[in-house]
Amino acid sequence: MTVITRATARLVDIEVETVRTDAMQSFLKQETIVVDLESSDGATGRGYSYTIGTGGRASLSMLNEHLLRLLPGEDPSNIERLWRKLYDSTRATSVGVLTALALAAVDTALWDLKAKRANLPLWQLAGGSRQDVPLYDTEGGWLHLSEGELVAGAQESMSRGWRGIKIKVGKESLAEDVSRIAAVRQAIGADAALMVDANQSMTAAEAIRRAAAFEPYRLAWFEEPLPAEDVAGHERLAQASRIPIAVGESIYSIGAFREYLQRGAAGIVQVDVARIGGITPWLKVAHLAEAFNVDVCPHFLMELHVSLVAAIPNGTFVEHIPQLRAVTTEEIEISEGRAVAPSAVGLGISWDEDELENRVVA
Ligand code: MG
């Protein structure tokens, strides 16, 4: 039997590529929690998860002091068994984001290892739906940008062939949000997809008011209008608006997604492979959404989500926010606004070992 012989974790700080702000926060740096595994047949697997600036050391500590010790001697192919073993050992801190990030770093490493041993790229091992997926751009839509900068960014995105763009909303006045949306819609024309994201900044009453004002601009979705814990508020908003309501980047369990879907409170599911605890639960949420006839457009982490969206039949968009350029030697192939899932075996991420090592902080 092949068994795991070594499991290690590091924390790697990766600088942000551009200033990113929304209605609630700024992206300070990508704290990247990297897990490396080795198995007795000589194979290796590397996985990772992230924070946008704080808390990474807590997840790293959970890995080093507890979770990684549970892996040696286990068969790395039994990912369900291992995920459950690790999850069950963290009952005191589950469901919770820091635990989910630690689980995700291990789980993605297990999938990398399994895919390499199977000689398959992730997108095929995880399902194999189609290799290329549409991209939309978020990098030109941050809240601190002026209306003129938003329009210039939107025009640049269109000229690069993106299928859609997303802008942040949640300015102090509704009029300012509407003016920015109108200007961007005008700039990109009627065909391109336009999304807005409030990053949980509104009350249900305010989101219903703003959604009504946004309706003429044919938005593809209204993302995180309310705090993620307010499922009833999302349900009311979904009933009141014709704009699909998108949630998921702040949801940390399969059961919480079930609750949203059962109540008709989510029109788009944005499950994040790090924050849900890895590829194993990510696929379950994606298949759950399929059962409810809901599409999956995951949050951030395009380097992993390209392969996962390519694996499932109900994945419609990947968010373009490159964040691994500094520590990889190859970029994801993009052609006519579509990203091509890597053909390389495993996760298909070409890590630059030196650049990664240079940024280790713990
Ligand atoms: Mg968002």
Side-chain angles (χ1 to χ4, degrees):
M1 183 177 83
T2 300
V3 296
I4 298 171
T5 50
R6 208 169 119 85
T8 57
R10 293 174 286 173
L11 188 66
V12 177
D13 277 356
I14 303 174
E15 55 273 29
V16 292
E17 293 203 0
T18 183
V19 178
R20 301 177 182 134
T21 62
D22 60 46
M24 301 298 278
Q25 67 215 331
S26 288
F27 191 141
L28 305 172
K29 61 187 174 186
Q30 180 175 301
E31 289 187 312
T32 313
I33 304 144
V34 179
V35 163
D36 283 288
L37 301 176
E38 285 174 32
S39 55
S40 52
D41 59 352
T44 60
R46 174 174 292 159
Y48 72 104
S49 61
Y50 75 99
T51 82
I52 63 168
T54 56
R57 279 180 165 76
S59 276
L60 182 73
S61 160
M62 186 176 285
L63 285 161
N64 282 331
E65 288 171 27
H66 178 58
L67 293 175
L68 297 185
R69 296 177 187 180
L70 303 176
L71 295 171
E74 291 279 358
D75 185 333
S77 290
N78 298 337
I79 299 181
E80 283 285 353
R81 168 185 157 77
L82 288 171
W83 196 93
R84 179 57 59 175
K85 178 180 176 180
L86 267 50
Y87 179 79
D88 284 347
S89 80
T90 60
R91 285 290 185 190
T93 57
S94 289
V95 171
V97 61
L98 295 173
T99 306
L101 299 180
L103 290 172
V106 174
D107 182 84
T108 48
L110 287 168
W111 277 85
D112 188 40
L113 187 65
K114 187 169 188 169
K116 284 176 179 164
R117 292 180 71 220
N119 202 30
L120 284 173
L122 175 63
W123 78 272
Q124 286 184 315
L125 182 65
S129 187
R130 75 282 196 237
Q131 193 168 4
D132 63 329
V133 296
L135 278 171
Y136 73 90
D137 198 20
T138 296
E139 289 286 44
W142 305 106
L143 200 64
H144 67 276
L145 300 176
S146 69
E147 192 171 301
E149 289 169 327
L150 278 187
V151 166
Q155 284 164 338
E156 196 197 320
S157 297
M158 289 299 106
S159 72
R160 292 172 66 186
W162 305 129
R163 303 302 174 96
I165 62 164
K166 185 166 80 188
I167 65 170
K168 299 294 182 182
V169 292
K171 284 288 188 184
E172 205 171 318
S173 83
L174 184 156
E176 197 177 352
D177 272 351
V178 170
S179 172
R180 291 160 68 89
I181 293 170
V184 171
R185 171 52 82 195
Q186 170 88 31
I188 65 176
D191 278 349
L194 176 59
M195 304 76 158
V196 299
D197 184 359
N199 293 88
Q200 310 184 73
S201 61
M202 298 178 188
T203 63
E206 182 63 14
I208 289 170
R209 187 174 84 99
R210 295 214 183 197
F214 298 165
E215 276 200 7
Y217 304 99
R218 302 179 303 284
L219 300 180
W221 70 68
F222 185 2
E223 178 172 326
E224 286 203 311
L226 320 176
E229 64 189 24
D230 185 4
V231 187
H234 284 87
E235 187 180 355
R236 279 171 55 211
L237 173 61
Q239 285 169 359
S241 178
R242 282 172 289 189
I243 305 172
I245 305 305
V247 294
E249 71 179 79
S250 308
I251 298 177
Y252 307 102
S253 72
I254 300 168
F257 277 104
R258 183 205 61 223
E259 179 80 4
Y260 267 96
L261 289 163
Q262 232 166 12
R263 293 172 69 165
I268 302 279
V269 156
Q270 299 186 292
V271 56
D272 176 315
V273 64
R275 293 175 174 180
I276 196 67
I279 293 166
T280 302
W282 191 98
L283 288 170
K284 292 175 185 178
V285 171
H287 299 327
L288 176 71
E290 183 189 356
F292 280 91
N293 194 26
V294 167
D295 282 341
V296 176
C297 304
H299 167 251
F300 188 50
L301 281 188
M302 60 178 275
E303 295 83 1
L304 284 174
H305 285 142
V306 165
S307 295
L308 293 178
V309 169
I312 60 170
N314 55 325
T316 44
F317 261 125
V318 166
E319 180 170 27
H320 181 257
I321 308 186
Q323 185 48 45
L324 290 186
R325 278 190 189 131
V327 293
T328 51
T329 55
E330 273 175 54
E331 289 189 32
I332 285 171
E333 182 187 340
I334 296 172
S335 170
E336 293 178 11
R338 300 175 76 89
V340 182
S343 297
V345 298
L347 303 186
I349 298 172
S350 51
W351 299 102
D352 184 323
E353 300 296 336
D354 292 338
E355 292 295 340
L356 206 56
E357 193 57 38
N358 286 343
R359 290 169 175 79
V360 170
V361 292

